[in-house]
Amino acid sequence: MKKSNPVALLPIGVFLVLYLGLGILFEYVLMIPMGFYNIPIVVAFLAAILVACLQNQKVKFDDKLGIMAQGLADKNIVTMLLIFLAAGSFVGVVGRSSAESVAYFMLSLIPAQFAVAVLFVVACFVSTAMGTSVGTITLIAPIAVAVAQVSGFNVPLCVGSVMGGAMFGDNLSFISDTTIAACNGQGCAMKDKFRENFGIAFPAALATLALILVLSLNTDLKGSVAQDYNLIQIVPYVLVLIGGIIGVNVFAVLLTGIVSGSFIMLATGQTAPTELLANMGSGVSGMFETCMVAILVAAMCALIREYGGFEALLAGIRRVFKGKKGGQLGMGLLVGAMDIATANNTVAIVMANPIAKEMSEEYGVTPRKTASLLDTFSCVFQGVIPYGAQMLVAISAASELGFEISAFDIIPNLFYPGFLLISSLIFIFVLPSKQEGKSSRQ
């Protein structure tokens, strides 16, 4: 046991002040569009690591480098980085036109009265298949605005439904960076985390769908959306989704998706061989910042742990959160606070991972349940914060099509994050006690 040292947590505070402070300045004072995402997050972490290196003068600088290297020399960190790059390559190969094909296909089959429900279901499927909520919103939000234009549905309801569906897949997808970060940070298999997570997310999705259907029945419709689609392009996504669910190794799943996607894109003439390689490179490049953040956070947390910062944090958590259920809520609120500060659920999970791992050992929570809680609570908060990338992309998509809406127009229509929070709390405080009651009677 290392001696508790609250001052060792200073680097985390420095990062949050820099990133959150500059983000608020850019977004709300200087009115820079996507202000939070103009802040170089890697630079903010470098500043935090510099502060960590300047602390504890009893430890030589060379020894501090060794401590950081030990933090990186972890199988889960290496696995996480490789999966990030493979997932980026997959998304780059298959492109994103298949998402639009799924949307237009379902809109052509389902009566117009249920168009908003279709948008939610499509966003759930697309985000689960693609592993990105922002990418899903980028593709489906314009379709949602088109649905609103030709029907009686209002734009915030349509866009909010897409955002909710996007967060569903962000939470569950096997190739989502949040899933990769949570599973590898806690050392659990993705299929185990999926099964744990599905019991929380699916009831929330059903409740959201039911509410959307109820609201849809009271709307007068004027028209429908029709567009060409090509369903063969969704085959790689379906293969990845099925492979992940049945428990195939994630690298084998992604390789299958890359190979099948390459064949289909070339065979259908969607891309040329040279362009395919360029797209693959672009997909991998899109993951570079996420990989670098994972590396820097691992190095910074190694120093904080060595200095006794985690012991101080855990001591504070023990005083506030009592028992196993309290510990689980503490994990959720921890990653939620990180998400509010960083406006990035992947970064929030990466930062919370080492602390949550020690909390799981302290409170006796399984790795798969810890990973599930981290991913779920981060999606709850990321899905509603007005300055998150998901919200800003949705507002931008509506604006480009002539609809000026604000985050506070959309937030009341974000049903899924609210139901997901309720489902998570039931998962923590109600279901375990019932299971314990059953086991005690047996």
Side-chain angles (χ1 to χ4, degrees):
M1 291 281 294
K2 293 181 173 63
K3 186 177 180 181
S4 175
N5 179 19
V7 178
L9 296 170
L10 181 62
I12 295 178
V14 169
F15 167 77
L16 295 179
V17 169
L18 279 175
Y19 192 75
L20 182 60
L22 289 174
I24 292 173
L25 174 65
F26 280 28
E27 187 79 37
Y28 298 108
V29 179
L30 301 179
M31 299 298 179
I32 298 174
M34 299 287 286
F36 266 86
Y37 298 89
N38 284 306
I39 310 299
I41 192 168
V42 171
V43 174
F45 272 118
L46 285 173
I49 288 178
L50 175 61
V51 170
C53 288
L54 292 175
Q55 288 182 297
N56 199 346
Q57 297 302 314
K58 295 179 181 178
V59 181
K60 296 179 180 179
F61 182 69
D62 282 348
D63 293 335
K64 292 174 181 176
L65 291 176
I67 292 168
M68 287 190 282
Q70 290 173 8
L72 299 178
D74 185 295
K75 185 186 78 171
N76 291 323
I77 296 293
V78 175
T79 304
M80 185 194 310
L81 297 176
L82 292 176
I83 295 175
F84 278 150
L85 297 176
S89 178
F90 169 70
V91 173
V93 165
V94 298
R96 295 177 174 178
S97 58
S98 58
E100 297 175 350
S101 292
V102 173
Y104 289 125
F105 171 68
M106 291 191 66
L107 286 170
S108 70
L109 293 179
I110 308 297
Q113 190 172 22
F114 305 112
V116 180
V118 169
L119 289 172
F120 175 72
V121 173
V122 167
C124 287
F125 172 79
V126 170
S127 58
T128 303
M130 290 178 61
T132 165
S133 55
V134 174
T136 299
I137 294 168
T138 301
L139 295 171
I140 309 300
I143 300 174
V145 174
V147 167
Q149 283 179 310
V150 300
S151 70
F153 296 113
N154 65 69
V155 174
L157 174 63
C158 293
V159 173
S161 297
V162 170
M163 287 184 63
M167 297 315 298
F168 173 86
D170 195 308
N171 185 202
L172 283 179
S173 175
F174 286 86
I175 60 172
S176 166
D177 45 7
T178 58
T179 296
I180 296 167
C183 290
N184 284 280
Q186 299 305 314
C188 73
M190 290 189 181
K191 64 178 181 179
D192 293 334
K193 181 262 185 187
F194 177 85
R195 291 166 184 164
E196 194 85 22
N197 219 157
F198 190 77
I200 306 174
F202 189 64
L206 287 180
T208 302
L209 185 60
L211 180 56
I212 290 173
L213 289 172
V214 169
L215 295 175
S216 299
L217 294 176
N218 299 321
T219 304
D220 296 324
L221 301 179
K222 296 182 291 188
S224 60
V225 177
Q227 190 78 23
D228 294 334
Y229 51 84
N230 186 353
L231 286 182
I232 195 173
Q233 294 178 7
I234 75 169
V235 171
Y237 289 131
V238 174
L239 291 176
V240 168
L241 193 58
I242 293 174
I245 291 173
I246 64 177
V248 179
N249 179 276
V250 64
F251 290 109
V253 167
L254 288 171
L255 181 60
T256 300
I258 292 169
V259 172
S260 62
S262 299
F263 178 79
I264 289 172
M265 297 302 285
L266 292 173
T268 57
Q270 295 294 317
T271 184
T274 53
E275 186 181 356
L276 183 70
L277 290 174
N279 292 341
M280 190 182 298
S282 297
V284 171
S285 297
M287 288 292 188
F288 284 174
E289 183 176 75
T290 303
C291 290
M292 187 54 64
V293 166
I295 291 170
L296 294 176
V297 169
M300 180 180 73
C301 288
L303 288 176
I304 293 173
R305 180 186 289 108
E306 180 67 22
Y307 298 163
F310 284 178
E311 285 301 321
L313 188 58
L314 287 171
I317 290 171
R318 290 188 200 104
R319 286 194 293 268
V320 177
F321 299 100
K322 306 295 183 181
K324 188 173 182 177
K325 296 177 182 178
Q328 293 177 67
L329 179 61
M331 292 176 191
L333 295 180
L334 171 69
V335 76
M338 296 291 189
D339 188 79
I340 291 172
T342 62
N344 187 310
N345 47 345
T346 304
V347 174
I349 291 172
V350 171
M351 291 183 67
N353 257 331
I355 304 169
K357 192 170 183 64
E358 296 201 16
M359 288 177 66
S360 68
E361 295 170 358
E362 174 78 19
Y363 289 97
V365 182
T366 62
R368 69 180 189 178
K369 181 170 286 191
T370 302
S372 174
L373 289 170
L374 291 178
D375 203 346
T376 301
F377 273 86
S378 70
C379 283
V380 168
F381 286 88
Q382 185 68 25
V384 298
I385 54 176
Y387 49 87
Q390 290 79 0
M391 183 72 74
L392 298 176
V393 167
I395 293 171
S396 176
S399 177
E400 289 176 2
L401 294 173
F403 287 86
E404 296 298 332
I405 56 176
S406 72
F408 299 100
D409 294 322
I410 298 175
I411 287 174
N413 296 283
L414 293 173
F415 310 131
Y416 177 72
F419 282 124
L420 185 61
L421 177 60
I422 294 170
S423 183
S424 300
L425 294 176
I426 292 173
F427 176 77
I428 292 173
F429 292 104
V430 178
L431 295 183
S433 60
K434 289 184 177 180
Q435 293 169 356
E436 288 166 10
K438 289 179 181 179
S439 62
S440 64
R441 291 193 297 267
Q442 291 175 349

